[in-house]
Amino acid sequence: MTTPYLSSDPIPVAPADSNTIDSLLGGTRWAGSTITYSFPFSNDPAYWSIDTWTGYGLPGGDGEPWESSVAPLADSDKVNFEKALQQWANVANVSFSPITETTSNVGDIRAAYTGDPDTGTLAWSYLPGYSVRSGDIWANSQSLLNDQKWTPGSISFETILHEIGHALGLKHPFLDPDDPAAAVLPTSLDAVIHTVMSYTVANLGGEKGSRFSFYPTTPMVLDIAAIQYLYGANNNYHTGNDTYTYDDITLAHETIWDAGGIDTIHYTGTTSAIIDLNPAGASYIGQPVYVQSKGANLGLPVPNVWIAEGAIIENVIGGQADDFMFGNTSRNTLDGGAGIDTVMVESQLNQNTVTQTADGYAITFNSTPHNQDSLINIERLEFSDVKLALDLGGHAGQVSKLLGAVFGPATVANPQYVGVGLTVAAEGLSYEKLAEFAVDARNLTSSDEIVTTLWNNLFGTMPSDSEKAPYVKQLDTGELSIGTLTILAADSGYNTGNINLVGLTQTGIAFV
């Protein structure tokens, strides 16, 4: 039991021999997994140790409890403080138990206001240890924490997450002049998007600012790995079949920890999303979050949804725009929803097998045939060496048929031609306008040239004057438009047979 004069037992922590973990380890943790907390309401010396070495010193000094602006947390601060505690309990094998302070019983973690004239100092705290100050968290009453609500997404809430991290045994990931031998993170990882224990507000491109448009609301990937090294993982959190839903209204900046079940990320919005299911995968979903300087957004958005190491999310349902998805080593179901959606595969095509299914396609990594991903409403597959268009009932089918009819069946095997056609089709052209574009690209200027070319590509012979005359006449009189006639040729069984449309439907069509 923690008293104003005696701390709970800490224990030393050995290095993990992993830089990303060791850079966050403060050297100690609480011995138990149940950690008490309390909210001081009095600076009466009966509630505080006055010992010079292990306590706060004699009353009347400028130490935390004795400062003139010392004050208890507001009720709303307490609510949000407990939300922040819960975010750590969600990921680690710890639980937090509230204590009502008495002169003989206080929390391992105590949180209150005190003053510091440096308004840039938002808060400070103490690592687990034998001093009765250990675990104490002080919010600076002279800073914005005194004025701003500690709501998730605010710098105040992220600051409290940070300070609780210290109170549990995590340190800053950057160089400490008082301990120059301690491990530090490389510059590329010393950023709040990777760990709330950092001070650096930066995006993946390294552009630094003074704030985020929306701050992390959970411990981040490196924090979770470090706190789980200290206390173990919370293996009872989200063990069912959970769905993590995101939209275009609710801002997110978080890392998902999930202990089990078959789980899904479901995006319902209209903005193009990038969703990565890999451990430590970085996703961009819904409203973008930016690094800001002087109120202006800097560079590209930051990833706003991450997946913790050790967490497995199996499935994705995409939104209404053109989404990009990365599967992981589990069996994934990747449903693109509306739009032209792409699944990224970080291996070569010949290392995989793509097959058509009743619902869409399946992709199997040849060396692990049990790991088969299901693709639903996925129009593009992008391997490390080639891209495949799968929507043979949509844009890819239209482009393939028009290439066969206008440029000749062999051109369907030309990835550059296919790529140009898909790019133009993605601009929103109708099938008829796309057909007219193909005829223009072939430089066919007269009705005779158009009919002759289409006939030759369909039947492999030049048409006689009598064979082509009716079609030339219909074009000249406007009875048939160029686009309509070209579509008739493209959709004909002769053309679809020439380009083996059935075969392309089963395997997709390559493009660049």
Side-chain angles (χ1 to χ4, degrees):
M1 183 177 72
T2 301
T3 75
Y5 319 104
L6 181 67
S7 168
S8 289
D9 289 336
I11 56 175
V13 175
D17 295 326
S18 166
N19 173 262
T20 53
I21 293 177
D22 291 339
S23 297
L24 293 173
L25 300 183
T28 57
R29 52 153 282 190
W30 298 111
S33 59
T34 298
I35 300 166
T36 60
Y37 68 95
S38 61
F39 300 117
F41 56 85
S42 172
N43 68 343
D44 187 310
Y47 291 91
W48 304 94
S49 169
I50 61 174
D51 186 274
T52 303
W53 298 104
T54 63
Y56 285 98
L58 294 174
D62 59 0
E64 288 92 337
W66 320 128
E67 208 278 337
S68 60
S69 63
V70 67
L73 298 187
D75 288 344
S76 62
D77 295 338
K78 294 177 183 178
V79 169
N80 286 306
F81 186 91
E82 290 175 331
K83 288 181 180 178
L85 286 175
Q86 188 59 50
Q87 294 293 2
W88 288 101
N90 290 344
V91 302
N93 183 30
V94 295
S95 61
F96 296 100
S97 178
I99 294 289
T100 299
E101 293 203 348
T102 68
T103 56
S104 60
N105 191 13
V106 298
D108 298 314
I109 296 174
R110 305 173 76 184
Y113 275 104
T114 192
D116 187 311
D118 182 359
T119 58
T121 299
L122 302 182
W124 61 94
S125 51
Y126 297 95
L127 292 166
Y130 288 104
S131 167
V132 294
R133 290 174 295 178
S134 300
D136 290 358
I137 296 173
W138 296 96
N140 184 7
S141 58
Q142 308 304 310
S143 75
L144 65 78
L145 263 68
N146 192 46
D147 303 316
Q148 183 186 73
K149 296 292 187 182
W150 295 5
T151 51
S154 68
I155 188 174
S156 296
F157 188 81
E158 189 270 337
T159 298
I160 296 306
L161 282 175
H162 173 106
E163 301 305 338
I164 293 171
H166 285 317
L168 293 175
L170 300 184
K171 72 174 187 67
H172 297 136
F174 45 82
L175 180 65
D176 180 359
D178 295 329
D179 189 8
V184 298
L185 283 176
T187 302
S188 61
L189 293 177
D190 180 10
V192 175
I193 59 173
H194 302 297
T195 165
V196 296
M197 304 312 295
S198 175
Y199 282 172
T200 304
V201 175
N203 58 24
L204 287 179
E207 294 171 286
K208 298 179 181 179
S210 57
R211 56 167 287 122
F212 288 109
S213 58
F214 191 77
Y215 279 81
T217 59
T218 68
M220 301 304 278
V221 171
L222 300 186
D223 303 311
I224 294 172
I227 205 69
Q228 290 182 346
Y229 176 76
L230 287 181
Y231 294 96
N234 182 344
N235 291 319
N236 296 313
Y237 184 70
H238 282 197
T239 57
N241 299 335
D242 299 299
T243 298
Y244 299 88
T245 302
Y246 300 91
D247 55 39
D248 290 339
I249 299 173
T250 307
L251 280 162
H253 195 174
E254 64 186 16
T255 296
I256 295 172
W257 166 249
D258 189 283
I262 305 299
D263 307 301
T264 301
I265 290 177
H266 186 189
Y267 173 50
T268 62
T270 60
T271 303
S272 180
I274 300 174
I275 303 174
D276 189 346
L277 294 184
N278 287 290
S283 299
Y284 303 77
I285 309 176
Q287 279 199 53
V289 174
Y290 287 94
V291 169
Q292 295 182 329
S293 178
K294 298 179 180 178
N297 296 336
L298 297 181
L300 296 174
V302 300
N304 65 326
V305 178
W306 299 76
I307 295 176
E309 295 279 4
I312 299 175
I313 308 297
E314 289 82 359
N315 306 322
V316 172
I317 302 173
Q320 301 173 49
D322 302 341
D323 300 321
F324 295 82
M325 303 176 181
F326 296 80
N328 55 32
T329 57
S330 299
R331 293 174 67 95
N332 305 133
T333 296
L334 307 173
D335 185 341
I340 304 298
D341 304 300
T342 302
V343 167
M344 313 293 290
V345 183
E346 296 177 328
S347 57
Q348 296 183 349
L349 174 59
N350 63 12
Q351 296 176 290
N352 299 270
T353 300
V354 179
T355 54
Q356 190 178 27
T357 66
D359 296 325
Y361 289 85
I363 178 171
T364 306
F365 193 59
N366 294 336
S367 64
T368 54
H370 63 282
N371 182 17
Q372 184 181 84
D373 292 342
S374 298
L375 311 181
I376 302 170
N377 297 316
I378 298 297
E379 289 75 25
R380 306 284 183 266
L381 261 178
E382 186 168 331
F383 297 90
S384 60
D385 60 337
V386 69
K387 302 176 183 178
L388 294 181
L390 304 178
D391 55 330
L392 275 300
H395 286 169
Q398 293 176 354
V399 169
S400 300
K401 291 184 289 185
L402 290 172
L403 283 175
V406 178
F407 291 87
T411 60
V412 175
N414 186 316
Q416 286 80 14
Y417 280 30
V418 177
V420 170
L422 291 174
T423 300
V424 174
E427 295 174 356
L429 270 65
S430 66
Y431 193 10
E432 183 174 359
K433 291 297 183 182
L434 190 62
E436 292 174 1
F437 175 86
V439 170
D440 288 342
R442 184 68 195 274
N443 293 318
L444 304 176
T445 58
S446 69
S447 299
D448 187 275
E449 286 180 318
I450 295 170
V451 173
T452 299
T453 299
L454 295 175
W455 187 285
N456 185 38
N457 287 332
L458 260 61
F459 305 112
T461 61
M462 301 298 289
S464 65
D465 289 342
S466 61
E467 287 172 325
K468 64 183 177 181
Y471 301 104
V472 171
K473 180 181 178 182
Q474 290 179 83
L475 286 178
D476 287 341
T477 61
E479 186 177 345
L480 279 178
S481 69
I482 293 173
T484 299
L485 179 63
T486 305
I487 288 174
L488 289 172
D491 287 347
S492 70
Y494 296 103
N495 184 55
T496 58
N498 290 341
I499 65 173
N500 188 23
L501 183 62
V502 172
L504 294 176
T505 301
Q506 295 172 349
T507 62
I509 182 170
F511 73 98
V512 296

